[in-house]
Amino acid sequence: MATVDECRAALDQFSAKLGGAEGDAGRAAHLDRSLSCRIPDLDTTFRGQLRGGALHDITTEPSGDKAQIRLEIGSDDLVALVAGKLDFASSWARGRVKLEASIKDLLTLRKLL
């Protein structure tokens, strides 16, 4: 199981990747939405703001979220996903990753993920 610090580092790495995205993915990365990433095996939720192609103001809290974009993923899967060792689409189809957002945001995010 990955640690909270490893998950935070993965989110920082994901944020850096967002900043370098181009084309449709770059446009998707420039959404302005609140975002949460719940890590059930660590009983932790990271919250932040997706803005200007990066994640800002990332905080950690025990649980609960009302973010516009909500992701739920295990700690090891988060680290593997950001490292490119885990495919988002197949992980989502198998229930290893859960993503909740408005229909419009989901259509935009599919270009990013």
Side-chain angles (χ1 to χ4, degrees):
M1 176 169 45
T3 66
V4 171
D5 289 337
E6 290 170 323
C7 289
R8 184 181 251 316
L11 288 172
D12 289 340
Q13 184 180 0
F14 178 67
S15 181
K17 287 181 180 183
L18 287 175
E22 297 177 353
D24 287 343
R27 286 187 286 285
H30 281 80
L31 286 172
D32 187 358
R33 302 284 188 274
S34 59
L35 181 134
S36 68
C37 180
R38 181 167 161 15
I39 314 293
D41 55 321
L42 297 176
D43 193 29
T44 299
T45 301
F46 292 94
R47 293 183 53 85
Q49 189 72 23
L50 177 60
R51 179 179 61 241
L55 294 173
H56 299 277
D57 308 321
I58 299 172
T59 60
T60 307
E61 57 187 52
S63 62
D65 61 71
K66 297 197 185 335
Q68 293 166 305
I69 299 171
R70 296 167 304 283
L71 178 69
E72 184 174 314
I73 186 170
S75 59
D76 288 337
D77 288 342
L78 173 63
V79 172
L81 182 69
V82 173
K85 297 177 182 175
L86 186 66
D87 179 65
F88 179 84
S90 63
S91 298
W92 175 76
R94 290 182 282 158
R96 290 174 68 177
V97 177
K98 296 177 185 173
L99 178 65
E100 296 179 31
S102 71
I103 295 295
K104 182 180 176 185
D105 287 345
L106 286 172
L107 291 172
T108 302
L109 289 169
R110 71 184 168 96
K111 298 170 188 168
L112 183 60
L113 301 170

